[in-house]
Amino acid sequence: MAKVLVVEDSAAVRLAVTEVIEQAGHTVSSAENGRVAIELLRGETFDLIVTDVLMPEADGLEVIKEARARHPSTQVLAMSGGAPNLPAGYALKMAEMFAADAVLFKPFLNEELKKAVARLLAETAGNGK
C-alpha cells in the first residue's frame, strides 16, 4: 500500500481520482490547490503525487518543484485538461520539463489512471525508492 497525494482544484475530479486510487488499496491525502500541497510536502513524504497542472494559488509546476527539492524519489503524475489560453499538451510538456514522471490528459478513463498509478508505483518499488 502506497501513500499518495492528490492535488486538484476541482472537488469532483479530486474525489473521483481519490476513489480510484483508494480502491486500488492505497492511502490518499488530498489538497485543493498547490499551496496546500506544498504545505503538506513540507511535513510528509509520499510515494506518489498526482497533481493537476493548472490551479489557483500555486500550480502543479510549483508542486513538482517542491516535491523534487524535498523528496526527489517521489513519483509524480501530472494531469491537465488545458485552459482556454494554454492547451493541455503544452501544460503537460511543461510538467515533463519540471521532471514529472508521467502525464495524463484530462478527461481520462479510470482504467488509464489505475494503470499509470500502478506503473509509477512499480517503478518506485523496482528502484528501491
Side-chain angles (χ1 to χ4, degrees):
M1 176 168 31
K3 190 173 173 184
V4 180
L5 175 60
V6 173
V7 189
E8 169 61 59
D9 59 318
S10 164
V13 175
R14 188 171 60 248
L15 179 61
V17 169
T18 296
E19 286 180 4
V20 168
I21 295 171
E22 285 178 340
Q23 287 173 359
H26 306 296
T27 301
V28 178
S29 297
S30 65
E32 64 270 17
N33 60 52
R35 181 188 50 76
V36 173
I38 289 168
E39 290 173 14
L40 287 171
L41 288 170
R42 291 180 178 154
E44 296 183 55
T45 301
F46 297 92
D47 300 301
L48 172 66
I49 298 168
V50 179
T51 185
D52 189 10
V53 177
L54 304 173
M55 295 179 290
E57 297 192 43
D59 63 28
L61 301 178
E62 292 173 84
V63 172
I64 296 168
K65 184 178 175 185
E66 186 74 19
R68 291 292 172 240
R70 291 185 179 274
H71 313 287
S73 64
T74 298
Q75 294 287 308
V76 177
L77 172 61
M79 54 187 181
S80 182
N85 60 348
L86 184 66
Y90 290 119
L92 293 173
K93 183 56 81 178
M94 287 189 308
E96 289 174 326
M97 291 171 57
F98 274 73
D101 297 292
V103 297
L104 201 54
F105 285 85
K106 290 186 205 173
F108 48 80
L109 300 174
N110 288 348
E111 194 58 38
E112 291 174 293
L113 175 62
K114 286 181 201 175
K115 286 180 182 178
V117 167
R119 182 178 57 80
L120 290 170
L121 291 173
E123 288 177 12
T124 297
N127 291 330
K129 291 183 180 180

